[in-house]
Amino acid sequence: MKSKTMVGVVILGALLGVGLWLLMAGRDLGVTGAPAAPPDRGVSVPVVPPVPVAEPHQHEEQQDISAPGATAESVPEAPPASAETVTEQPMLDPLTSDEIPRDNGAHFFVLATELFPDVDMGRLMEKWAEARANDFRADAELRMMLERFRLAFEAFERGLEVGNIRMPAPRAVNDPMPYLTRFRDLGQVMAIEAELRAAAGNINGAFENYSILLRFSAQTVHGGSLLHTMVSASLQDMGTQSLRRVLDWKPASSEQYRYMVSGLKAAEEAMPGISTILLNEAQRYEILFEQARREGKTVKELIVGATGASDLFAEMSDEELEERMSAVLSDYQEVAQLFEKPYSEVRAVDLSALLGDHPLSEDQEQTLERLHTQYFLNRAQVRGTCAMAAVEWYGAENDVYPKAIGDLVPKYLAEEPMDPFTDAPFGYGLTDAGYFLYSAGPDMIDDGCTDGPWHQPGSDVVFRSMEGQVL
């Protein structure tokens, strides 16, 4: 019965988290007050041909974030979250960096969010839009806003240096974890800063930003929850899209390209398997449910009280709720093993036959399919960006792009870059505009580098189009 209960709790975790997954790692990552991102493109910062601008950083006296007494007290409190992200349900007090040992790099990751400056993100995005429209000429206000993030960025770097990273798991179903939203905001600002650095000719500085962002995104998964994984996917998505734009319009040296190829390979290798993610989530919710029982609460009280999911759960008895949750999957190990298989093999399986016939099965089938697709989409983004960096590296050394993507092996890539959706090489070819590069996408059908919403048949996941446009 216990293993089936774990099935139920991971299903609950997925139901509670799928909305945030689609928000964070899907395609709607706009910040309140910021220009809306194009549909199905993640955080998109359109680029116009740049002209060099002054480096946005002015060094000034700063707080030592590695000192024992370093806190966010010296920085004004960040603006409150928008109404769309604030829940009316009872919440625990947010976790602080002081509750995480300093020999755990996660201490400094959370500290970075506490050092989030008193900057209006909506205003920052407005100034960023102006800079893009003005050939990347960042005015004094934008440069000043970016400089105020310096301490938070240094905290990220410090956390990576310390290592031994174990992100704090949720302490309860209603643990707010506001630092996850700040992770996303900080990642977006870091990507903006990287593009400005590249426009100013500081390719080393831009690539360093991307390296930190991608390494950080990979580390946020360790020890955390499914929500940490969602935010990690969001950070990798925005980082790789921004990096592809820079790779397209700013030439770099062989050593700089080598640096980014290595960093992107490491980022992909650090991504845990989706089965591991789901199993870990099940174990965390099992612990939370056992804790609730020790405190004299029923599972129903815990779920309905924390989520307000009255329509779905309130009319069920506690025994019926546990039984329904336990019935979501008859053998969770089978599903976990299924998700370790290639994408095409998983898609060939009828999940409804495994989920059974009960009130949660239809929603759960959609949830699992979306989680599975998004995981492979994120892997394709990282791997495709790595392939693009290798193509640019080849071009820098040979004055021409490779005729075939296999020509990157073995000097620029150890093996031919494969589309995770099809386990075949990425679509690639030469054009008058240089080259195109794409993945067949979730439908696993090569549509000849056809751009469009990734979740709709007839579209590919395009990294660089036939016309040379980076997407």
Side-chain angles (χ1 to χ4, degrees):
M1 179 67 177
K2 184 174 182 179
S3 63
K4 289 189 176 182
T5 302
M6 289 181 64
V7 173
V9 297
V10 76
I11 294 312
L12 172 66
L15 282 173
L16 299 180
V18 68
L20 185 56
W21 174 271
L22 295 175
L23 173 65
M24 294 293 226
R27 289 296 180 264
D28 183 15
L29 294 168
V31 178
T32 301
D40 303 310
R41 286 282 176 266
V43 170
S44 179
V45 188
V47 173
V48 295
V51 295
V53 295
E55 183 71 6
H57 302 300
Q58 304 295 329
H59 296 287
E60 55 189 46
E61 186 174 351
Q62 299 171 342
Q63 176 185 356
D64 179 6
I65 64 169
S66 64
T71 67
E73 295 178 358
S74 60
V75 180
E77 183 179 354
S82 65
E84 295 179 356
T85 61
V86 176
T87 176
E88 296 181 359
Q89 299 300 323
M91 287 289 181
L92 300 174
D93 291 334
L95 182 81
T96 68
S97 59
D98 290 338
E99 298 175 64
I100 306 173
R102 292 174 59 83
D103 62 354
N104 178 352
H107 167 91
F108 294 96
F109 290 172
V110 175
L111 175 61
T113 68
E114 296 166 356
L115 293 169
F116 197 97
D118 185 16
V119 170
D120 184 335
M121 286 296 293
R123 177 62 176 169
L124 187 149
M125 294 303 293
E126 289 174 3
K127 299 303 295 183
W128 173 228
E130 291 176 9
R132 297 197 312 269
N134 195 29
D135 292 338
F136 275 67
R137 291 186 176 91
D139 63 14
E141 182 181 357
L142 178 56
R143 291 196 298 270
M144 183 178 298
M145 283 192 287
L146 291 173
E147 184 59 31
R148 296 182 67 181
F149 285 88
R150 184 57 36 213
L151 285 176
F153 291 165
E154 289 178 359
F156 274 168
E157 294 182 68
R158 176 65 173 167
L160 291 171
E161 291 173 0
V162 171
N164 188 35
I165 294 163
R166 295 291 297 174
M167 295 302 300
R171 299 162 295 175
V173 174
N174 60 341
D175 195 337
M177 296 186 291
Y179 61 85
L180 292 178
T181 299
R182 287 308 191 199
F183 282 172
R184 181 202 61 184
D185 292 339
L186 288 168
Q188 188 167 34
V189 174
M190 188 170 285
I192 289 172
E193 182 187 66
E195 293 197 41
L196 283 172
R197 285 183 162 189
N202 184 2
I203 299 299
N204 283 338
F207 280 9
E208 180 63 23
N209 267 41
Y210 291 125
S211 176
I212 294 171
L213 176 54
L214 292 171
R215 284 187 292 150
F216 166 69
S217 67
Q219 294 296 332
T220 56
V221 177
H222 296 293
S225 67
L226 184 60
L227 298 183
H228 290 78
T229 304
M230 298 170 190
V231 174
S232 172
S234 169
L235 292 169
Q236 288 185 337
D237 195 41
M238 71 172 68
T240 52
Q241 287 191 30
S242 177
L243 174 55
R244 288 198 297 274
R245 290 191 289 268
V246 170
L247 288 170
D248 184 60
W249 52 256
K250 268 299 178 180
S253 68
S254 294
E255 191 57 38
Q256 289 167 335
Y257 285 127
R258 185 195 308 274
Y259 174 74
M260 281 316 307
V261 167
S262 175
L264 287 160
K265 291 293 292 183
E268 182 182 357
E269 290 169 359
M271 296 172 66
I274 188 171
S275 296
T276 300
I277 293 169
L278 294 177
L279 282 170
N280 288 343
E281 186 76 352
Q283 293 171 350
R284 277 186 285 271
Y285 273 93
E286 176 71 7
I287 292 172
L288 291 177
F289 281 15
E290 289 296 336
Q291 177 182 340
R293 294 187 184 99
R294 289 196 299 270
E295 295 173 355
K297 296 180 181 178
T298 65
V299 172
K300 179 178 177 180
E301 289 173 337
L302 180 67
I303 297 173
V304 177
T307 68
S310 56
D311 291 341
L312 186 60
F313 299 125
E315 295 182 1
M316 299 182 188
S317 67
D318 194 62
E319 294 75 13
E320 183 181 11
L321 178 56
E322 288 205 45
E323 181 180 353
R324 291 266 173 95
M325 291 173 63
S326 297
V328 171
L329 298 177
S330 62
D331 187 349
Y332 187 69
Q333 291 300 325
E334 181 180 352
V335 174
Q337 292 173 7
L338 172 65
F339 276 15
E340 288 293 341
K341 294 182 179 180
Y343 180 87
S344 59
E345 293 187 30
V346 175
R347 283 306 189 214
V349 174
D350 181 7
L351 285 181
S352 64
L354 295 176
L355 297 173
D357 184 16
H358 55 83
L360 297 180
S361 60
E362 182 177 352
D363 287 338
Q364 202 50 45
E365 181 180 356
Q366 295 177 3
T367 296
L368 289 172
E369 287 180 349
R370 289 179 177 181
L371 291 175
H372 184 255
T373 298
Q374 184 61 58
Y375 176 84
F376 276 83
L377 181 64
N378 185 238
R379 188 172 288 272
Q381 293 280 359
V382 174
R383 192 178 298 177
T385 305
C386 183
M388 183 173 175
V391 169
E392 295 292 341
W393 180 10
Y394 183 105
E397 291 195 341
N398 298 279
D399 294 325
V400 293
Y401 290 123
K403 293 181 180 180
I405 201 165
D407 294 344
L408 297 172
V409 181
K411 181 176 180 180
Y412 305 96
L413 290 175
E415 54 189 17
E416 192 169 5
M418 308 298 280
D419 185 343
F421 287 109
T422 63
D423 282 332
F426 282 121
Y428 172 84
L430 298 178
T431 68
D432 293 340
Y435 64 92
F436 59 87
L437 180 66
Y438 65 98
S439 159
D443 65 0
M444 300 175 286
I445 299 174
D446 187 335
D447 295 295
C449 199
T450 301
D451 181 39
W454 61 265
H455 52 78
Q456 293 183 2
S459 299
D460 298 316
V461 178
V462 179
F463 309 120
R464 197 173 192 271
S465 71
M466 293 279 191
E467 297 74 28
Q469 181 182 3
V470 173
L471 302 171

